[in-house]
């Protein structure tokens, strides 16, 4: 039995890269946990488990049952519930909790950003009569589809569970996206408003560069608050943090 069991809470490219690097380290049992939202998840190094734990108590139980010695929360910056559960469960189970979280994007002086607190406020902030490219993902598209006074171009990886009305068009595509493609999309669809979540990272930043070039205003959803646990901004910093935590 390896002396250390590391649980990565995943669902991001960073979590997968971390699993890949940690799997090369001897003496670690590695488990990545996925929520099970996508039908065909990417392959991960080490063990993978799928589905919710049943809240913070369920996660604390899982940590005890599997003798987890370290939890790395590498979930998406907008996945607020699982991060809160991770911090609480680690407190209960007396296991360290670290977070791998890419820094948010910041506007440049020439950017035209309107920052809003949540998805609902983003949906109401779109001016009537606009042609809006909405890039918030399939799970949070409903309030935008309700805006019948707006032409929506909704980009997401897989189609939503809800019906898509006639004033909306789906663009199904998987990141990363390049600048040429983003420029073309904004031009071809005559987009005059871009809606984005402040996810950070490089995979989806090109839309902001294209919006800057074409002077398209951006409605940017701020990140939700997460509990204060030791946080690394990138993979290398996280590997150093883990090395210190495991000794
Ligand atoms: P969330 O709102 O924070 O979590 C809702 C519930 O889903 C949690 O309470 C938990 O259920 C379960 N869950 C979430 N992440 C899990 C994980 N890694 N392993 C096991 N259970 C998990 O999360 P979300 O925003 O729906 O995101 C779900 C997953 O998609 C996360 O893994 C996240 O990294 C990924 N993701 C999210 C976004 C986004 O914009 N939100 C974007 C890209 C990827 P229980 O309470 O039953 O344990």
């Amino acid at each position: 039995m390896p002396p250390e069991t590391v649980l990565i809470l995943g669902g991001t490219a960073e979590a997968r890269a971390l699993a890949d690097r940690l799997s090369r380290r001897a003496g670690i049992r590695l488990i990545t946990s996925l929520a099970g939202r996508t039908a065909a998840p990417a392959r991960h190094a080490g063990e993978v488990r799928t589905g919710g734990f049943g809240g913070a108590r369920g996660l604390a139980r899982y940590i005890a049952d599997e003798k987890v010695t370290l939890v790395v929360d590498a979930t998406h910056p907008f996945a607020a519930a699982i991060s809160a559960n991770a911090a609480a469960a680690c407190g209960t189970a007396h296991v360290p909790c670290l977070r791998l979280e890419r820094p948010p994007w910041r506007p440049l002086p020439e950017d035209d950003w309107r920052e809003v607190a949540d998805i609902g406020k983003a949906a109401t902030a779109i001016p009537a009569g606009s042609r809006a490219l909405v890039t918030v993902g399939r799970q949070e598209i409903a309030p935008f589809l309700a805006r019948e006074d707006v032409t929506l171009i909704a980009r997401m990886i897989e189609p939503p569970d809800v019906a898509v009305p006639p004033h909306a068009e789906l663009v199904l595509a998987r990141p990363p996206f390049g600048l040429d493609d983003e420029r073309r999309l904004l031009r071809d669809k005559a987009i005059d408003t871009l809606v984005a979540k402040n996810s950070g990272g490089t995979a989806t930043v090109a839309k902001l560069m294209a919006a800057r070039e074409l002077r398209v205003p951006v409605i940017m959803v701020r990140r939700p608050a997460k509990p204060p646990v030791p946080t690394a901004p990138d993979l290398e910093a996280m590997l150093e943090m883990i090395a210190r935590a495991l000794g």
Side-chain angles (χ1 to χ4, degrees):
M1 188 76 178
E4 304 288 352
T5 297
V6 176
L7 173 65
I8 301 175
L9 300 171
T12 58
E14 287 90 339
R16 203 151 71 90
L18 177 63
D20 188 43
R21 291 285 293 274
L22 274 185
S23 68
R24 298 180 211 164
R25 213 184 125 137
I28 292 180
R29 177 184 173 214
L30 184 63
I31 308 168
T32 298
S33 173
L34 301 175
R37 301 281 194 273
T38 44
R43 287 179 71 85
H44 287 69
E47 298 170 38
V48 174
R49 68 155 305 281
T50 305
F53 296 97
R57 288 178 66 173
L59 179 51
R61 211 174 306 121
Y62 180 87
I63 289 170
D65 289 349
E66 297 297 327
K67 301 186 173 42
V68 172
T69 48
L70 175 69
V71 173
V72 181
D73 173 11
T75 58
H76 191 271
F78 278 81
I82 187 70
S83 293
N85 291 349
C90 286
T92 307
H94 304 291
V95 163
C97 180
L98 308 177
R99 182 176 308 131
L100 172 54
E101 187 173 277
R102 49 184 117 130
W105 296 313
R106 307 264 180 221
L108 297 182
E110 59 270 36
D111 283 331
D112 177 2
W113 281 22
R114 173 162 175 202
E115 294 190 77
V116 294
D118 56 43
I119 287 287
K121 291 199 173 65
T124 53
I126 302 175
S130 339
R131 294 182 58 84
L133 174 62
V134 179
T135 61
V136 301
R138 62 191 281 274
Q139 289 188 73
E140 293 175 295
I141 199 66
F144 298 93
L145 298 178
R147 285 289 309 267
E148 289 178 13
D149 56 341
V150 169
T151 303
L152 290 172
I153 290 80
R155 182 171 66 190
M156 56 194 69
I157 297 174
E158 293 175 357
D161 296 332
V162 292
V164 178
H167 66 281
E169 178 190 342
L170 286 189
V171 174
L172 299 181
R174 188 178 287 273
F177 302 115
L179 181 55
D180 286 349
D181 290 336
E182 297 298 59
R183 225 185 255 132
R184 195 172 314 118
L185 180 64
L186 293 187
R187 280 208 185 107
D188 288 356
K189 304 288 183 193
I191 298 300
D192 55 23
T193 306
L194 170 64
V195 181
K197 296 197 290 194
N198 198 336
S199 300
T202 56
T204 59
V205 74
K207 65 189 170 198
L208 300 177
M209 296 156 78
R212 184 176 303 138
E213 278 182 23
L214 301 172
R215 300 185 182 284
V216 171
V218 178
I219 297 171
M220 182 65 78
V221 184
R222 283 194 206 99
R223 294 179 172 191
K226 293 207 175 191
V229 303
T231 300
D234 57 38
L235 180 58
E236 298 305 326
M238 176 47 75
L239 287 166
E240 281 173 26
M241 215 179 236
I242 291 172
R244 280 198 300 276
L246 296 183

